[in-house]
Amino acid sequence: MAGATMACGRTLAGTAGIAPARRPGNVDTFRLGAGRTSDHAPAEGIVALKPPIEGRVRIRGGRFVMGSTPAEMQAATELCQREALAPRCTDSSRAWNPGPAIRAEGHAHEVTLSTFEIDRTEVPVRAYARCVAAGACAPPSFPVGDPRYDQPDFPVTHVRWEDAGSYCRWVGGQLPTEAEWEYAAGGDVGHVFPWGDLWNSHLANHGSFAVDPTDSSDGFVGLAPIGSFPDGVTRTGLYDMAGNASEWVSDFYDRDEEGYGYPRAAQTDPKGASFGPYGHVVRGGSYRDPAFMLRTTARHASPFATREIGFRCAYSMATNPSKP
């Protein structure tokens, strides 16, 4: 890029005085028959090319600490207490209040994962529509043409866990496991957020913990086109791992009798609980979720499709042996 800039600079400097020298001597004769002049060029026929951001990223296998330590849970609670409904952050009277939800991020434990690939972006509406047209996926439940959700470059939402899995199988993959998703989001260093350890409200499409959970301070009240926050990517180049649409993963969600979501023992390529009364795990937080729910270790669950939940697919190297 530097060389191109310098070359451009030399060209501009070297053309000083050339334009007047090439100007026809009889300007009026030159302009005759050239048509009316205008300050604006017509836009017809001009095509702006934008390089696609979709595709896959390979995540090399390794070890990491999955879940949150007691100190990290306390930090998450303190982040929650910056919100309008701060008094509820330590209220454990309901299963989905922040307190019990954060506790379900424990126990922090070592996980070893095999190499896998994962979609760079959340699955957009236009891609999912191709699966529907092929008869391999059920249509999303939003009304056709609804401007809040039915936009080609929006992440597809209103999709059941089962149908998200059908789409991933249709493209040769599967929903990521919860461990794969967290490793992809936080890396082997375990970043608090996909971009690093400090919260920045301008790096994700987020909401708030308030009576009205919408928050337009990031530039969007509702969903945003995929890839709208390039400065919020992971170091491997994954978009929207925090905010925009939250994301289905393959695991069931469960908690033990103490309210923890994970075992203490180390695991290798874990698949999660075989059943859970809360439905399947949802990761990443959405455009209606506050900062503490956009952490890479934050987890939620749902038994059905919602306006906030989308997904991305993962791809096992064991089932793609031809790839390098």
Side-chain angles (χ1 to χ4, degrees), residues 123-211:
V123 174
V125 169
R126 55 180 156 74
Y128 189 81
R130 292 194 289 270
C131 185
V132 174
C137 298
S141 60
F142 55 66
V144 175
D146 189 324
R148 298 170 298 172
Y149 311 111
D150 194 5
Q151 301 285 348
D153 290 329
F154 279 8
V156 67
T157 56
H158 298 76
V159 173
R160 300 182 310 155
W161 177 86
E162 292 83 358
D163 295 317
S166 294
Y167 174 88
C168 289
R169 289 189 293 275
W170 187 65
V171 297
Q174 63 280 324
L175 285 172
T177 66
E178 187 174 15
E180 287 173 337
W181 193 99
E182 185 171 321
Y183 186 53
D188 54 4
V189 296
H191 282 312
V192 177
F193 300 98
W195 54 81
D197 292 330
L198 299 178
W199 169 245
N200 186 323
S201 63
H202 300 293
L203 297 185
N205 184 12
H206 61 85
S208 61
F209 188 39
V211 174

Side-chain angles (χ1 to χ4, degrees), residues 99-143:
I102 292 171
R103 186 176 180 84
E105 297 171 21
H107 302 284
H109 61 295
E110 184 178 89
V111 169
T112 302
L113 288 178
S114 302
T115 297
F116 63 98
E117 291 182 344
I118 191 167
D119 287 341
R120 189 181 300 275
T121 69
E122 295 165 335
V123 174
V125 169
R126 55 180 156 74
Y128 189 81
R130 292 194 289 270
C131 185
V132 174
C137 298
S141 60
F142 55 66

